[in-house]
Amino acid sequence: MPLRLDVVTIFPDYLAPLELSLLGRARREGLLEVHVHDLRDWTHDRHRTVDDTPYGGGAGMVMRPEPWGEALDEICSSQPGRTPRIVVPGPGGEVFDQATASRLAEQEDWLVFACGRYEGIDERVYEEFSSRYPLSVLSLGDYVLNGGEVAVLAMTEAIARLLPGMVGNEASLAEESHTGGLLEYPVYTKPAGWRGHEVPEVLLSGHHGRIEAWRHEQRLARTEQRRPDLMERYRTISSSE
Ligand SMILES: COc1ccc2nc(C(=O)O)sc2c1
């Protein structure tokens, strides 16, 4: 069964890149189903209002609960016999990392993304739907975007590319950054010499054992230098294995 993604947003055009390239091919090959919905389709006033002023005062606007309630009621019950995981991108969420992408790719066959805007979605939407469905609030990292759409594009690509059949050479997935907890090794291609920079001799040796050892050393060195936090976790996991 293909992974089904429903995305609810007030900016459907923001998700147009999901029609392109790898994800576009995956959709055409039936590996992935993507349905983008305009939250305003669940409003009933002339101005198709989705926000209002915050109780308690303060700057900005809050997304009203009623449109979200009607939208998620309809979408989350649209596939008889199936239950989605609702994913709400938000700066206050758990950090979305490669492990999250792997877990979602392996364990879920239907994700409903709820893209917030303004100051966020009325808290009662989280209360209502987390009592009825699995619900995760996920953040791309410790910075704030203007809405959830960019996060959905990033999360969708990170998840979808892990689906069987998505990436031509699945061996390449095993050597990527963050796979196995380390950053990836440096890569080179022709010409062997370029502006006085030479490709490391070992890579021209044809000795696969030495090449593999060198690449692992490079991953360790690069991770130590650029992401000591990952290196610490890698050492902890390696010592416990
Ligand atoms: C109002 O909706 C938002 C606002 C900020 C934001 N920041 C995210 C992030 O992943 O950093 S998702 C997200 C959603």
Side-chain angles (χ1 to χ4, degrees):
M1 179 180 291
L3 171 64
R4 178 184 170 107
L5 305 179
D6 285 274
V7 188
V8 187
T9 169
I10 59 171
F11 294 122
D13 293 348
Y14 230 111
L15 282 303
L18 293 182
E19 302 284 345
L20 305 175
S21 181
L22 194 69
L23 291 175
R25 179 166 61 80
R27 296 175 73 174
R28 288 189 295 278
E29 292 178 6
L31 296 171
L32 184 65
E33 257 189 82
V34 179
H35 303 266
V36 180
H37 309 271
D38 185 342
L39 179 65
R40 295 185 195 276
D41 290 349
W42 286 275
T43 60
H44 307 290
D45 62 305
R46 190 157 61 92
H47 296 295
R48 309 185 82 200
T49 310
V50 293
D51 63 319
D52 206 332
T53 53
Y55 276 119
M61 303 291 274
V62 174
M63 299 192 95
R64 298 170 50 229
E66 300 96 323
W68 278 111
E70 291 183 30
L72 294 177
D73 279 348
E74 181 176 327
I75 293 167
C76 293
S77 59
S78 65
Q79 305 299 306
R82 296 176 71 184
T83 303
R85 171 173 292 275
I86 299 173
V87 176
V88 188
E94 300 162 45
V95 175
F96 176 90
D97 58 14
Q98 192 65 20
T100 317
S102 299
R103 187 173 66 249
L104 292 174
E106 285 161 18
Q107 297 175 7
E108 306 293 343
D109 67 4
W110 183 15
L111 298 173
V112 174
F113 287 102
C115 297
R117 276 273 155 176
Y118 309 108
E119 299 308 310
I121 303 172
D122 186 298
E123 187 63 20
R124 291 167 291 179
V125 175
Y126 296 84
E127 290 170 10
E128 165 70 8
F129 286 92
S130 60
S131 69
R132 294 167 50 192
Y133 296 95
L135 185 147
S136 303
V137 181
L138 298 177
S139 167
L140 288 184
D142 294 335
Y143 50 82
V144 181
L145 303 170
N146 289 326
E149 290 80 6
V150 166
V152 169
L153 289 174
M155 292 177 189
T156 298
E157 178 151 325
I159 295 165
R161 64 194 303 282
L162 297 176
L163 298 176
M166 271 290 283
V167 174
N169 173 11
E170 303 207 356
S172 66
L173 292 177
E175 298 177 336
E176 288 184 330
S177 274
H178 300 285
T179 301
L182 292 174
L183 299 184
E184 58 199 355
Y185 52 75
V187 291
Y188 302 83
T189 187
K190 302 177 188 62
W194 176 72
R195 294 189 180 182
H197 305 283
E198 301 301 321
V199 171
E201 277 298 323
V202 65
L203 298 181
L204 307 177
S205 70
H207 193 295
H208 297 297
R210 287 191 199 142
I211 290 169
E212 193 174 331
W214 179 86
R215 284 174 168 173
H216 184 63
E217 286 160 23
Q218 292 295 313
R219 293 187 74 182
L220 291 171
R222 186 168 269 196
T223 306
E224 181 67 61
Q225 181 193 1
R226 297 181 183 175
R227 290 294 303 274
D229 59 311
L230 286 183
M231 197 63 212
E232 189 56 39
R233 187 164 66 177
Y234 177 80
R235 286 199 182 96
T236 304
I237 293 170
S238 301
S239 61
S240 65
E241 284 173 342

